[in-house]
Amino acid sequence: MMRPWSTTLSVLAVIVSFSASPAFGQDDGSLDTTESPQDTRDLRSLKKVVGSRFKIGVGVGHDVLQSPEDAALIKQHFEILTPENCMKPQGIHPAEDEWSFEATDRFADFARANDLELVGHCLVWAKDDRTDEWMMREDGDPVSRETLLRRIETHVDTVVTRYADVAGMWDVVNEAIGDGDGDLLRNSVYSRTTGMDFIVTAFQAARSKDPDALLIYNDYNCHKPGKREKLIELLTELKKRGAPVDAYGMQGHFELGDDSLPQLRETFAALRELGVKVVVSELDIDVVKRGRWWADGGKYREELASYDPYKEGLPEEVQRKLAELYVEIFKLFDENSDIIVRVSFWNLHDGQSWLNYFPWKRVNHPLLFDRDRTPKPAFDAVFEMLQAS
Ligand code: GLA
């Protein structure tokens, strides 16, 4: 669709003014308006109001950076960016001797040009369905331990070397812990073939190519009892084996109405005791609870596939509950900011959230900005809380 020139020009003006003005000089969490007091834009800025508590970031697709409106919103509120997909092993390394750097190069260039930091995401994704066949096989047989560790090392060396100048943090290994009561590690080619050694190798390789970066073990639901014990066991064991793990990446895909808060509190305490930092790496709050999708062998899936309660918008009552939970969560982050290095949202606005498709298609509202990029009541509430504290 063609955009009217006036809109394009005003968007460009916003971008230019963000990069040209001494933007973040106010104490109330807003952009500095002294040069244009007639400015009527919403000048509140998350990174300004968060201040030095922790870094505030967002994960976005590389295509999002092409949109002037999205780019302006990113620059107004965030200081660190995670590439949503393009840097993942299957995106950047499609065959053993083939690399696909283009999208990630553009992403990194955007970060460099706009003085933003990058999170490298992710170097190893420890799931078979997220791993290419070439990584898993060798001359038609299952890959050997030596070859797999060597391939991991080559992958990590290559990617980390290429982006070390702009990446301050790396999700070195993603989702290696098993769900449920079973083994510590998820059953994957990595654990089947090397036990825990693939994690050690990946972390040591990352450290050797980017000595100053924060190295993260990233996973979901590790605040829940059961998986939390596994996380602590894994981190303890990795330390013993000399893997330089600096932080746990708490993905933070929460749901409205879940009971995460006390569990989060306990998890922060356990990690503090262990001497491991935390990044909240993929924050969002699903307003449509999704647990039933996996319950009872998936028998509700047909019914859920057409369940789309908020397709006409979020009722005020739910909007309020979302705002309240976001405030509680950010209060907790604030209280634990001695060990939290970064909080990143997963996607920029509601229209771009992966939760519109996962695990079934529905209109979702999990973020602080709505589909028009307008701050929601949850944004207002979080902003006010941070401003007051
Ligand atoms: C996990 C991964 C992310 C992303 C989300 C879904 O959390 O770490 O990279 O794929 O799933 O968007």
Side-chain angles (χ1 to χ4, degrees), residues 120 122-126 149 152-153 155-157 160 169-176 185 196-219 231 234-235 237-239 241-249 276-277:
C122 50
L123 295 169
V124 177
W125 196 346
L149 292 177
I152 289 172
E153 209 173 327
H155 178 84
V156 172
D157 281 0
V160 173
M169 309 184 186
W170 292 94
D171 287 340
V172 180
V173 174
N174 198 27
E175 302 182 345
L185 294 182
M196 207 180 276
D197 289 351
F198 74 97
I199 310 183
V200 179
T201 296
F203 273 90
Q204 289 178 343
R207 175 64 87 227
S208 82
K209 297 295 172 196
D210 198 354
D212 305 327
L214 187 89
L215 302 185
I216 301 162
Y217 171 75
N218 199 51
D219 212 328
L231 172 72
L234 177 65
L235 294 174
E237 191 55 35
L238 288 173
K239 278 188 164 203
R241 297 185 187 202
V245 186
D246 300 315
Y248 162 55
V276 172
K277 301 272 186 212

Side-chain angles (χ1 to χ4, degrees), residues 180-193:
D181 302 332
D183 295 337
L184 171 63
L185 294 182
R186 174 193 306 285
N187 182 358
S188 73
V189 66
Y190 305 99
S191 63
R192 281 193 303 275
T193 316

Side-chain angles (χ1 to χ4, degrees), residues 255-257 261 285-287 310 314-329 365 377-378 381:
E255 294 178 19
L256 203 54
L261 287 168
I285 302 178
D286 198 331
V287 292
Y310 304 129
L314 209 53
E316 224 171 278
E317 171 68 4
V318 187
Q319 196 81 262
R320 187 180 56 74
K321 285 191 179 143
L322 180 69
E324 282 168 6
L325 183 54
Y326 260 119
V327 166
E328 288 310 311
I329 285 180
H365 308 263

Side-chain angles (χ1 to χ4, degrees), residues 10-215:
S10 67
V11 166
L12 286 174
V14 167
I15 295 169
V16 168
S17 79
F18 282 168
S19 46
S21 65
F24 302 108
Q26 300 281 93
D27 286 327
D28 65 352
S30 308
L31 298 171
D32 191 342
T33 54
T34 47
E35 286 178 11
S36 50
Q38 75 286 7
D39 204 327
T40 55
R41 279 180 291 138
D42 186 340
L43 295 165
R44 292 173 299 171
S45 161
L46 273 182
K47 65 178 166 186
K48 179 71 175 76
V49 79
V50 166
S52 61
R53 279 175 255 232
F54 36 73
K55 293 185 179 177
I56 186 96
V58 64
V60 292
H62 63 278
D63 48 325
V64 167
L65 306 178
Q66 311 297 313
S67 147
E69 295 95 330
D70 290 337
L73 197 64
I74 287 171
K75 287 189 266 179
Q76 180 170 356
H77 294 287
F78 302 106
E79 55 198 308
I80 181 160
L81 291 184
T82 310
E84 186 177 8
N85 291 312
C86 59
M87 202 193 246
K88 287 172 175 167
Q90 289 181 302
I92 206 166
H93 197 176
E96 181 149 25
D97 51 2
E98 196 184 319
W99 295 86
S100 174
F101 292 122
E102 206 203 326
T104 310
D105 280 356
R106 272 192 276 129
F107 204 101
D109 283 343
F110 178 92
R112 291 184 187 106
N114 292 290
D115 209 13
L116 295 159
E117 221 181 293
L118 202 75
V119 181
H121 174 79
C122 50
L123 295 169
V124 177
W125 196 346
K127 287 175 110 172
D128 285 350
D129 62 353
R130 301 300 185 161
T131 301
D132 276 336
E133 199 59 21
W134 71 261
M135 181 68 102
M136 303 169 79
R137 316 283 306 171
E138 185 178 12
D139 303 327
D141 292 324
V143 65
S144 69
R145 172 192 156 82
E146 290 64 36
T147 303
L148 184 57
L149 292 177
R150 183 180 43 72
R151 283 177 180 165
I152 289 172
E153 209 173 327
T154 305
H155 178 84
V156 172
D157 281 0
T158 308
V159 178
V160 173
T161 303
R162 193 171 181 99
Y163 303 107
D165 68 303
V166 63
M169 309 184 186
W170 292 94
D171 287 340
V172 180
V173 174
N174 198 27
E175 302 182 345
I177 298 177
D179 291 312
D181 302 332
D183 295 337
L184 171 63
L185 294 182
R186 174 193 306 285
N187 182 358
S188 73
V189 66
Y190 305 99
S191 63
R192 281 193 303 275
T193 316
T194 79
M196 207 180 276
D197 289 351
F198 74 97
I199 310 183
V200 179
T201 296
F203 273 90
Q204 289 178 343
R207 175 64 87 227
S208 82
K209 297 295 172 196
D210 198 354
D212 305 327
L214 187 89
L215 302 185

